[in-house]
Amino acid sequence: MTWPGFLAAGSAWLFLLLVPLIVFYFLKLKRPRMDIPSLALWRSVLADRRVNSPFQKFKRNLLLLLQLLLLVCLILAAMQPFWPSGAERVKNLPVLIDCSASMAALDKPGGISRLDEAKQRVGQLIDELLPDQRLSLISVSNTARRLTEFTENKRVLRDALEQLKVSQVPSRLEDALRMTQALARTVPVESVLLFTDGNVPSIVDFELPFQLNFQRLPSAGANLGITALNAQLADEKWEIFVRVESTKSAPGAAEVMLFKQGEKIGEESISLEPGQSQRLSFTMEASGPTAVEVRLKPDGFDALDSDNTAYLDLPLARPLTIFCPTELGSYRQALKGIKEVVVYPADEGGDTASSYDLVISDRKEDAELEAGTFVFVGVVPDDVQKLLRIEESAVQVVDWQRSTPLLQHVLLAEVQIADNPISAEGVQDKDYEELGYEILAQARSGPLVLRKDLPGKQMHYILFHTDRSTLPYRVGFPILVTNVIHIAERQAGLSEAVAQPTGVLPPRTLSPEKSYEIIGPDDRRQSARASTVGVLSGVGAPVIGRYSIRDSGQEVASVGVSLLGPSETSLVGIDQLQFREVSVAAAETILKNDRPLWPWFAGMGFGLLLVEWWYFQRRPAGMP
Amino acid sequence: MEITSSQAQFTSLLDNATLSRLERLRLNPRRRLTNRSRGEHHAGKGGTSTEFVDYRDYSPGDDVRYVDWNIFSRLERPFVKLYRHEEEMHVVLLVDASTSMQFDGKFDRARQLAAAFGLMGLMNVERVSAYSCNHQGQEPVFLSPCTGRISRKRLFDFLETIPGGGEFPIEQAVEAVLRRHRGRGIAVVLSDFLTFGDFDRAFNQLFSAGLEIFAVQILAPGELNPEVTGDLRFVDSENGHTLDVSSAGDLLGIYQEHRLALEEELGLACRQRNGRFLSISSRDPLDWVLFDLLRRKGWVR
């Protein structure tokens, strides 16, 4: 049998107050005297009442009894009783509340969101907080944010809970758990409470040092949403692809509308079976930089609104500019067969451009050119020269990364190479990696092809000169050149455009070391400073919509971000979280906490006070 | 009606108009309890008045003057004429003057009623005596039997000067009065009858003494409908005894039941002895009591 406990059992000494109460009651009880002609009738009345009322003695001192009960209730309230839930009571409890986009989903038309449901449960937890318990609220989205310190202040906790809003980003638990782990170093944390709809990655890369109570909220209703939006340039036209998915709970129908610069240019109706997805394509003429918006208008109830709109920024459609010295005839010959490229310098020599999308060169000094993609042939980077040397001897490719964009579909087997890169003694692959290089192709004694990513640039180094190999005579050579073109187009953003997800704005090249103001769709303003090379990055974008990047009030760029999370749109809730060593299943019961009983005793005391007042102030019975 | 002190009034107990109206009323006892002395009340047996009642057969020794000779001449049998006998009735006024009667005009009302009943007796040539009971163990203050209109002043003076206060229980007061009283008639008992004793015995003694009981219970408004609440300590006005009562307001219902039961018990005790009982409030109008209530109840005619 469970007995209530007391948090302040020391207050039991207050029961001693009963003694003076009783003493003072009888000492102070002074009845008003009233002269009456005779006691004859009243004596018989009292004798009759004693016979008929078994509780006469009880009623006789009813005032004392009520006062005793009132004092006992107040003392019990002061002792802070609680009804134990059966679970082990924790003193410091971090509460993780999922605030990802799926938490905004409603359970039914006009219903409440998952976050509101979580707020209600956490609010109940705060209400039942015992005086020696402290909570710390932590919001979980794609990152974690601590809302409160460990505190027992209910007002602070309630304020923080009230201000909690949904971030339109996918959820990740790792950051929140690491933050909790850091908190556990300052205060003892035995258990952590997680409120989520279960729409989180099922595998969590984290080793649990504490007990996790996984409280899964009830599932949301049916939902339709845009999960992918991208475009490809073909024949001076943009082909825009939209993927719409529905949840498994119910079929859905909707209209998909395409807007170009705010003007509707396309519309299609779709009907999806439960759990099905559909890919739609729209075609539009390529012109200058264009802001495209896709809106989904569901026919029926839709649990989540944030995935019904997606934004896409189409770049200016133009030919790829390539610098390739005339000495590299094989490359220039291969480039001639590719459309929509402009090769500098022209065959007859002459003009050059100020910047290029792609530089293919065998001269080290061409690294100074302004371009996004570089392919150096027969050039060893300066920082690599100490790791290897080039010998003139025949060598063949031993292995290469067949899936890397540069060498995709390129067969390097049996290619004869006259330049033999030989790594210095003791140099291993990790030495190249430490310098930021990735080995794409490997000879017996050293690397043949290296790749390095720099801010805004992709550098490819073919350490042997292709003119001193059989590669130009192989079928794979034009494929290699085509791969280079694709890499350059992707780097320059010319051939395709992909809608950006929420979270962080994509890096953007602007003026170096300049501060910009970014205004979000919710009118939230933030400022960021471009790096020394002019890259503006790390700008938070937790809300879908367009972000305006401004310099002194003048808009210099506009970027749209969308939810585009298939997992968020599916609203699928997992029942089990898999950590590195253990798995945690969702709790089957609603979290039980020790219930404080002092409000009940205080309420009973107040009720007794009212009863006492009413009893002694009511109109006497029998009065006309 | 309040007791008046005007010099023009015959008595301070009753005003002159009430007195003149009372002089026309006669007491109406259920039984003919009379004395041998001649009076204005017809005796049950044959008498010598001029009012014929009946005939009866002549018996030897009967006064031949009462033989109806006309009947004898027709029937040749002697019959004696019977006449109603008019005898004197004794009216005993017993006024409870204890402290319990000193509340809210009860004693004044008792004296007024005593004056009224006494006046009716005097005006009908009855013997009227009055007793006032105050302190236990002491002899009652009394007015010797008097009769006739001329005794009015004496009666009123006695009633006006009755001292108030004391703890004489009414049942013991009755016994004390009967130890002194002689004669049959009516005993008018004016009291609140709030006593711890047994009034049955006193009523039996009155009945045995040939007195028809005219009991009037006079209660104050505060006794008829007490307005009490909360915890109180009641103090008996006669003996100073106290009684603690909690939540007195709750007991008012039971109090009323007991008061009505006492009233019923008194009424039953009187009826069983061919008497009359009446319970009035000390605040009831005197004229209404005398000329309406008593008439309707058949106490006077």
Side-chain angles (χ1 to χ4, degrees), chain A residues 31-32 34 36-37 49 618 621, chain B residues 223 233 235 237 245-246 250:
Chain A
R31 297 168 185 268
M34 183 175 180
I36 61 171
R49 187 173 72 163
R618 64 179 176 157
Chain B
E223 290 167 317
R233 172 164 291 173
V235 182
S237 60
V245 177
S246 299
D250 284 350

Side-chain angles (χ1 to χ4, degrees), chain B residues 166-207:
Chain B
E167 74 289 351
F168 216 152
I170 187 64
E171 72 276 5
Q172 295 182 24
V174 168
E175 289 184 30
V177 167
L178 290 179
R179 281 197 292 272
R180 176 176 296 275
H181 173 75
R182 294 292 178 273
R184 296 151 58 89
I186 297 171
V188 181
V189 184
L190 299 158
S191 172
D192 53 11
F193 292 101
L194 297 178
T195 176
F196 296 101
D198 180 15
F199 45 76
D200 273 348
R201 184 165 178 271
F203 284 180
N204 284 339
Q205 289 173 334
L206 288 173
F207 183 73

Side-chain angles (χ1 to χ4, degrees), chain A residues 25 29 31-46 48-50 59-61 63 615-616 618 620-624, chain B residues 100 103 106 194-196 223 226-229 231-237 241-247 249-252 254-255 258-259:
Chain A
Y25 177 84
L29 182 63
R31 297 168 185 268
R33 292 171 67 90
M34 183 175 180
D35 287 337
I36 61 171
S38 174
L39 293 177
L41 271 179
W42 282 105
R43 281 209 172 144
S44 60
V45 166
L46 284 188
D48 187 22
R49 187 173 72 163
R50 288 193 183 107
K59 289 176 73 176
R60 197 171 169 185
N61 291 314
L63 177 63
Y615 189 81
F616 287 97
R618 64 179 176 157
M623 290 294 291
Chain B
S100 68
F103 281 79
K106 288 161 64 177
L194 297 178
T195 176
F196 296 101
E223 290 167 317
E227 293 183 359
V228 291
T229 184
D231 295 346
L232 294 171
R233 172 164 291 173
F234 289 141
V235 182
D236 192 308
S237 60
H241 292 172
T242 60
L243 181 68
D244 290 343
V245 177
S246 299
S247 306
D250 284 350
L251 303 177
L252 293 179
I254 307 175
Y255 175 88
H258 280 258
R259 185 183 65 77

